Structure formats: structure tokens, C-alpha cells
Amino acid sequence: MSQRPFLRIFTMPAALCALGFVAAMAAVLQYSLRAYIPGSLDAGGLTLVNFLDLLKPLYARVFLDTVSICALTAVVTLLVGYPLAYALVQIERPLIKSALLVIIVTPLFLGEVVRTYSWIIVLGNNGFINAVLRGIGLIEQPVQFMFTTFGVVVALVHVTLPVMVIMLAAGLSHIDRDYQRAAESLGAGPIRAFLTVTLPLSMPGVIAGVTTAFAWTFSAFATPQMIGGGRVNMVSNLVYQLGLSSFNFPFAAALCVAGLALTIAVLSILGFAAQPFKNIGAH
């Protein structure tokens, strides 16, 4: 370290950010172990009641809904993003590839609130989709897309799709195309060559994309708050309601700690279950 002092300068910002994160998490943890005093912003003494209350059906259902929405979003994002990533890697014309890449990553340059408002315009009762369906005579009354799990998942897919495509493209770009050519030369058609060669070898990118999409979606707030309209609640929305609306900061902190623990547990399970696929994808 003394021979390369510039390393200390470069790592100092990251170390300070890590210390700040640890300090913030420690503050949230200690607050989650304090008692709630109705009508006061001050917390009481140490207690485990906040974590015991998490077992109530109302709060347990929110956690289950959050996990199911995150899993569904990750799966749908994978199904939509894989063809885009495959096309991005296979296209050889630089102009077309650049245009496709710009279209894919454009949502990252927009704020989450802006993206969510755009989906309200699309999914609303008088929005674009219902207007088209009524215009072609398929429906007479508007279809309810807003305030539903379907609407929330669609908007969340839009948020996570760019990251999924980038990770899948990174995994696909490391696959030697000679493998697929060899499979086709041995009699495999394009579909069979894809299923037996390309797809297994791209599993590291698939696993990375799915886990990232799940973790990213778990902390979503603006999208379920605005699209769900209070009917589709996730953990972050419940934290907001209890912390800033009811001023029950200890219980809100307990929700944060439980949500973080649940995220780590689910990602650990996904990582353990994905070990065989990682071995298949090694090449």
C-alpha cells in the first residue's frame, strides 16, 4: 500500500460510503427494536413486539405478494429481454445495433416517476390501450388495468428490462459461435441448436439477470404506489404508510429489516438452486 498510495485515495470514497451504509443500517436495526409510543415521535424501550407483529396475516400477506410480484416481474422480463439481447448480439450492422441499444437503455435515462406516469396514460380507463380496443370494437367498457397486479408488473418490467437485456447480452456475447455452427453441422436445426447449445451456455447471464431483477423490484416504491393505487401493496409501500402516515417508525424499521432479510434469503435460495445451471453454462 505504501508503494502505491493512489490506491488509498481511490478506495477512500467507497470505504466512506460503506461506513455510511453500515451506520444507517445499524440505526434502522436499533430503531426496529424500540417500542412505539402513540402520539409521540420518540421511541420507547427495547422490545421484540415489532417483529412479532410481522407474523400477523395482514403483514405476512404483503410480504408474500411482494415476493410473487418480484418473481413474476423477473420471469416476464427474462422472456421479453432474451430475444432482444439475442438480437443485439447477433446483429452485425453497427448502425442497427447502436439504434437497438439506444432504444433498450433509454428507460434508464428517465426518472421512475416519469416512467410510471407514462404507464398511467397507457393503462388508464381512458388510456391508449383502452382507446385502441374501443376503436376497433373489441370492447364497449374499458378494461381495468390500473390498480391491478397486472398493471404493476407491466410497469415494473419496463423498469427492469434494460438491466436484464444488458446482462443477458453480456452472457451471450461470450459464447463462441463455432459451438452453434458445430451443432448445426452435426444435423441440429436452428431451434435445437439454440436449445441445446446457446441457451445452456447463456445460463450465467440468465441467472445474473433474474436475481438482479428480483432484488431491484423488491425495493420498488413509486410504481406500485401509483399504478397499484393502494390496492396492490408491496413492502416499501407499507413502510411508507406506517412510517410517514402513522408515524410508527419502529414498526416501519422492523419492516425494512425483515424485507432486507427476506431479500437476502430469497437470493441465497436462488443462488443455491442455480448452481447446476452455472455448471452447465461453464465453458
Side-chain angles (χ1 to χ4, degrees):
M1 180 68 71
S2 60
Q3 296 179 353
R4 293 181 290 180
F6 62 90
L7 289 178
R8 184 178 303 174
I9 298 175
F10 288 161
T11 57
M12 187 63 67
L16 292 176
C17 290
L19 288 175
F21 178 77
V22 172
M25 291 305 302
V28 172
L29 178 61
Q30 68 88 21
Y31 222 87
S32 67
L33 297 173
R34 306 284 293 276
Y36 170 58
I37 302 177
S40 174
L41 295 179
D42 296 327
L46 297 177
T47 180
L48 294 176
V49 173
N50 296 321
F51 289 99
L52 294 177
D53 287 342
L54 293 176
L55 301 177
K56 293 181 178 179
L58 173 63
Y59 305 120
R61 180 57 185 267
V62 173
F63 277 96
L64 291 176
D65 290 344
T66 301
V67 172
S68 63
I69 290 174
C70 293
L72 183 59
T73 300
V75 172
V76 175
T77 307
L78 174 63
L79 296 177
V80 176
Y82 200 102
L84 292 174
Y86 188 80
L88 186 63
V89 173
Q90 294 295 323
I91 292 175
E92 297 181 355
R93 294 185 179 182
L95 183 60
I96 300 178
K97 178 175 290 190
S98 300
L100 181 60
L101 181 61
V102 169
I103 294 173
I104 291 172
V105 302
T106 295
L108 294 178
F109 297 99
L110 300 175
E112 186 176 1
V113 175
V114 176
R115 290 194 298 260
T116 304
Y117 267 117
S118 67
W119 278 108
I120 292 176
I121 297 173
V122 173
L123 299 174
N125 289 343
N126 296 318
F128 175 77
I129 295 179
N130 278 308
V132 171
L133 293 177
R134 284 199 301 264
I136 60 180
L138 289 180
I139 61 173
E140 295 182 358
Q141 299 296 327
V143 179
Q144 185 67 38
F145 295 118
M146 291 288 295
F147 315 131
T148 63
T149 301
F150 172 81
V152 172
V153 170
V154 168
L156 289 175
V157 168
H158 184 218
V159 175
T160 56
L161 185 60
V163 177
M164 175 70 77
V165 172
I166 291 173
M167 289 190 171
L168 291 174
L172 288 168
S173 63
H174 288 85
I175 300 176
D176 193 339
R177 296 188 181 183
D178 289 339
Y179 294 159
Q180 188 168 357
R181 296 191 186 99
E184 293 176 353
S185 66
L186 293 174
I191 297 179
R192 185 175 181 182
F194 172 80
L195 294 177
T196 57
V197 177
T198 304
L199 183 59
L201 293 178
S202 66
M203 289 309 298
V206 171
I207 295 169
V210 169
T211 53
T212 302
F214 183 93
W216 195 335
T217 307
F218 200 95
S219 61
F221 170 73
T223 299
Q225 181 76 11
M226 299 168 67
I227 301 294
R231 299 183 184 178
V232 182
N233 281 321
M234 298 180 67
V235 173
S236 56
N237 306 113
L238 193 58
V239 171
Y240 169 79
Q241 294 170 9
L242 293 172
L244 297 181
S245 297
S246 303
F247 298 107
N248 190 348
F249 296 119
F251 190 61
L255 282 171
C256 293
V257 174
L260 178 61
L262 180 60
T263 303
I264 295 174
V266 173
L267 293 180
S268 299
I269 294 173
L270 289 176
F272 178 77
Q275 285 299 325
F277 298 101
K278 290 182 179 179
N279 296 331
I280 293 175
H283 63 283

mmCIF file of all heavy atoms in Angstrom, residues 5 7 18-19 28 57 92 98 146 170 172 175 187-188 207 212 219 233 251 255:
data_model
loop_
_atom_site.group_PDB
_atom_site.id
_atom_site.type_symbol
_atom_site.label_atom_id
_atom_site.label_comp_id
_atom_site.label_asym_id
_atom_site.label_seq_id
_atom_site.Cartn_x
_atom_site.Cartn_y
_atom_site.Cartn_z
ATOM 1 N N PRO A 5 0.366 4.599 -3.145
ATOM 2 C CA PRO A 5 -0.538 5.415 -2.309
ATOM 3 C C PRO A 5 -1.815 5.820 -3.026
ATOM 4 O O PRO A 5 -2.806 6.159 -2.380
ATOM 5 C CB PRO A 5 0.326 6.640 -1.975
ATOM 6 C CG PRO A 5 1.317 6.716 -3.088
ATOM 7 C CD PRO A 5 1.615 5.287 -3.457
ATOM 8 N N LEU A 7 -3.880 3.979 -4.447
ATOM 9 C CA LEU A 7 -4.949 3.030 -4.157
ATOM 10 C C LEU A 7 -5.770 3.487 -2.950
ATOM 11 O O LEU A 7 -6.986 3.326 -2.913
ATOM 12 C CB LEU A 7 -4.366 1.635 -3.896
ATOM 13 C CG LEU A 7 -3.803 0.897 -5.112
ATOM 14 C CD1 LEU A 7 -3.218 -0.441 -4.691
ATOM 15 C CD2 LEU A 7 -4.880 0.690 -6.169
ATOM 16 N N ALA A 18 -19.384 2.814 2.340
ATOM 17 C CA ALA A 18 -19.672 1.572 3.058
ATOM 18 C C ALA A 18 -19.906 1.841 4.542
ATOM 19 O O ALA A 18 -20.823 1.286 5.150
ATOM 20 C CB ALA A 18 -18.526 0.583 2.870
ATOM 21 N N LEU A 19 -19.076 2.718 5.138
ATOM 22 C CA LEU A 19 -19.257 3.056 6.549
ATOM 23 C C LEU A 19 -20.606 3.752 6.780
ATOM 24 O O LEU A 19 -21.300 3.478 7.763
ATOM 25 C CB LEU A 19 -18.111 3.944 7.026
ATOM 26 C CG LEU A 19 -16.751 3.261 7.200
ATOM 27 C CD1 LEU A 19 -15.691 4.296 7.565
ATOM 28 C CD2 LEU A 19 -16.818 2.165 8.248
ATOM 29 N N VAL A 28 -31.234 1.788 11.736
ATOM 30 C CA VAL A 28 -32.543 1.188 11.446
ATOM 31 C C VAL A 28 -32.765 -0.044 12.310
ATOM 32 O O VAL A 28 -33.869 -0.260 12.836
ATOM 33 C CB VAL A 28 -32.639 0.832 9.947
ATOM 34 C CG1 VAL A 28 -33.905 0.041 9.656
ATOM 35 C CG2 VAL A 28 -32.617 2.092 9.095
ATOM 36 N N PRO A 57 -51.443 -11.900 9.779
ATOM 37 C CA PRO A 57 -51.794 -12.211 8.375
ATOM 38 C C PRO A 57 -51.718 -11.010 7.441
ATOM 39 O O PRO A 57 -51.312 -11.147 6.286
ATOM 40 C CB PRO A 57 -53.226 -12.747 8.489
ATOM 41 C CG PRO A 57 -53.324 -13.261 9.874
ATOM 42 C CD PRO A 57 -52.466 -12.372 10.726
ATOM 43 N N GLU A 92 -25.074 -7.677 -36.904
ATOM 44 C CA GLU A 92 -23.703 -7.310 -37.249
ATOM 45 C C GLU A 92 -23.589 -5.882 -37.764
ATOM 46 O O GLU A 92 -22.503 -5.307 -37.753
ATOM 47 C CB GLU A 92 -23.149 -8.285 -38.302
ATOM 48 C CG GLU A 92 -23.065 -9.726 -37.792
ATOM 49 C CD GLU A 92 -22.488 -10.664 -38.838
ATOM 50 O OE1 GLU A 92 -22.258 -10.186 -39.984
ATOM 51 O OE2 GLU A 92 -22.277 -11.845 -38.522
ATOM 52 N N SER A 98 -26.518 -0.144 -32.773
ATOM 53 C CA SER A 98 -26.496 1.060 -31.936
ATOM 54 C C SER A 98 -27.900 1.595 -31.690
ATOM 55 O O SER A 98 -28.236 1.999 -30.572
ATOM 56 C CB SER A 98 -25.628 2.139 -32.600
ATOM 57 O OG SER A 98 -24.296 1.688 -32.764
ATOM 58 N N MET A 146 -55.401 -0.439 -14.460
ATOM 59 C CA MET A 146 -54.878 0.267 -13.300
ATOM 60 C C MET A 146 -55.361 -0.395 -12.008
ATOM 61 O O MET A 146 -56.411 -1.030 -11.965
ATOM 62 C CB MET A 146 -55.321 1.722 -13.329
ATOM 63 C CG MET A 146 -54.678 2.550 -14.441
ATOM 64 S SD MET A 146 -52.936 2.864 -14.108
ATOM 65 C CE MET A 146 -53.052 3.864 -12.635
ATOM 66 N N ALA A 170 -24.389 -9.542 -22.257
ATOM 67 C CA ALA A 170 -23.022 -9.801 -21.805
ATOM 68 C C ALA A 170 -22.743 -11.303 -21.759
ATOM 69 O O ALA A 170 -21.657 -11.759 -22.146
ATOM 70 C CB ALA A 170 -22.793 -9.167 -20.443
ATOM 71 N N LEU A 172 -24.395 -13.683 -23.519
ATOM 72 C CA LEU A 172 -24.457 -14.238 -24.873
ATOM 73 C C LEU A 172 -23.232 -13.877 -25.700
ATOM 74 O O LEU A 172 -22.810 -14.653 -26.572
ATOM 75 C CB LEU A 172 -25.721 -13.730 -25.574
ATOM 76 C CG LEU A 172 -27.045 -14.311 -25.079
ATOM 77 C CD1 LEU A 172 -28.228 -13.519 -25.640
ATOM 78 C CD2 LEU A 172 -27.172 -15.785 -25.464
ATOM 79 N N ILE A 175 -20.267 -16.355 -25.785
ATOM 80 C CA ILE A 175 -20.445 -17.696 -26.356
ATOM 81 C C ILE A 175 -19.810 -17.734 -27.744
ATOM 82 O O ILE A 175 -20.122 -16.902 -28.606
ATOM 83 C CB ILE A 175 -21.937 -18.057 -26.446
ATOM 84 C CG1 ILE A 175 -22.566 -18.042 -25.048
ATOM 85 C CG2 ILE A 175 -22.117 -19.420 -27.094
ATOM 86 C CD1 ILE A 175 -24.059 -18.303 -25.046
ATOM 87 N N GLY A 187 -26.224 -31.857 -37.726
ATOM 88 C CA GLY A 187 -27.603 -32.173 -38.062
ATOM 89 C C GLY A 187 -28.653 -31.481 -37.225
ATOM 90 O O GLY A 187 -29.851 -31.667 -37.466
ATOM 91 N N ALA A 188 -28.251 -30.694 -36.264
ATOM 92 C CA ALA A 188 -29.233 -30.000 -35.432
ATOM 93 C C ALA A 188 -29.777 -28.785 -36.175
ATOM 94 O O ALA A 188 -29.023 -28.036 -36.805
ATOM 95 C CB ALA A 188 -28.598 -29.562 -34.117
ATOM 96 N N ILE A 207 -29.086 -16.186 -14.965
ATOM 97 C CA ILE A 207 -29.140 -16.188 -13.506
ATOM 98 C C ILE A 207 -28.844 -14.801 -12.953
ATOM 99 O O ILE A 207 -29.525 -14.308 -12.044
ATOM 100 C CB ILE A 207 -28.137 -17.219 -12.947
ATOM 101 C CG1 ILE A 207 -28.563 -18.636 -13.368
ATOM 102 C CG2 ILE A 207 -28.042 -17.114 -11.439
ATOM 103 C CD1 ILE A 207 -27.521 -19.687 -13.094
ATOM 104 N N THR A 212 -30.868 -10.037 -10.280
ATOM 105 C CA THR A 212 -30.820 -8.581 -10.221
ATOM 106 C C THR A 212 -32.215 -7.984 -10.369
ATOM 107 O O THR A 212 -32.584 -7.051 -9.644
ATOM 108 C CB THR A 212 -29.898 -8.028 -11.316
ATOM 109 O OG1 THR A 212 -28.586 -8.576 -11.168
ATOM 110 C CG2 THR A 212 -29.814 -6.506 -11.249
ATOM 111 N N SER A 219 -37.460 -3.462 -3.930
ATOM 112 C CA SER A 219 -37.453 -2.145 -3.289
ATOM 113 C C SER A 219 -38.274 -1.111 -4.053
ATOM 114 O O SER A 219 -38.198 0.078 -3.737
ATOM 115 C CB SER A 219 -36.006 -1.645 -3.158
ATOM 116 O OG SER A 219 -35.400 -1.521 -4.446
ATOM 117 N N ASN A 233 -50.166 -3.614 -2.715
ATOM 118 C CA ASN A 233 -49.161 -3.120 -1.781
ATOM 119 C C ASN A 233 -47.932 -4.013 -1.792
ATOM 120 O O ASN A 233 -48.043 -5.241 -1.823
ATOM 121 C CB ASN A 233 -49.727 -3.055 -0.361
ATOM 122 C CG ASN A 233 -50.593 -1.834 -0.139
ATOM 123 O OD1 ASN A 233 -50.279 -0.750 -0.622
ATOM 124 N ND2 ASN A 233 -51.686 -2.000 0.583
ATOM 125 N N PHE A 251 -41.982 0.213 13.937
ATOM 126 C CA PHE A 251 -42.517 -0.899 13.148
ATOM 127 C C PHE A 251 -42.099 -0.776 11.682
ATOM 128 O O PHE A 251 -41.844 -1.784 11.016
ATOM 129 C CB PHE A 251 -44.030 -0.950 13.265
ATOM 130 C CG PHE A 251 -44.637 -2.193 12.680
ATOM 131 C CD1 PHE A 251 -44.305 -3.439 13.190
ATOM 132 C CD2 PHE A 251 -45.518 -2.130 11.621
ATOM 133 C CE1 PHE A 251 -44.845 -4.591 12.658
ATOM 134 C CE2 PHE A 251 -46.064 -3.282 11.076
ATOM 135 C CZ PHE A 251 -45.726 -4.511 11.596
ATOM 136 N N LEU A 255 -40.064 -3.522 9.486
ATOM 137 C CA LEU A 255 -40.411 -3.956 8.133
ATOM 138 C C LEU A 255 -39.195 -3.882 7.208
ATOM 139 O O LEU A 255 -38.978 -4.769 6.376
ATOM 140 C CB LEU A 255 -41.539 -3.087 7.587
ATOM 141 C CG LEU A 255 -42.953 -3.385 8.087
ATOM 142 C CD1 LEU A 255 -43.913 -2.290 7.627
ATOM 143 C CD2 LEU A 255 -43.434 -4.741 7.591
#
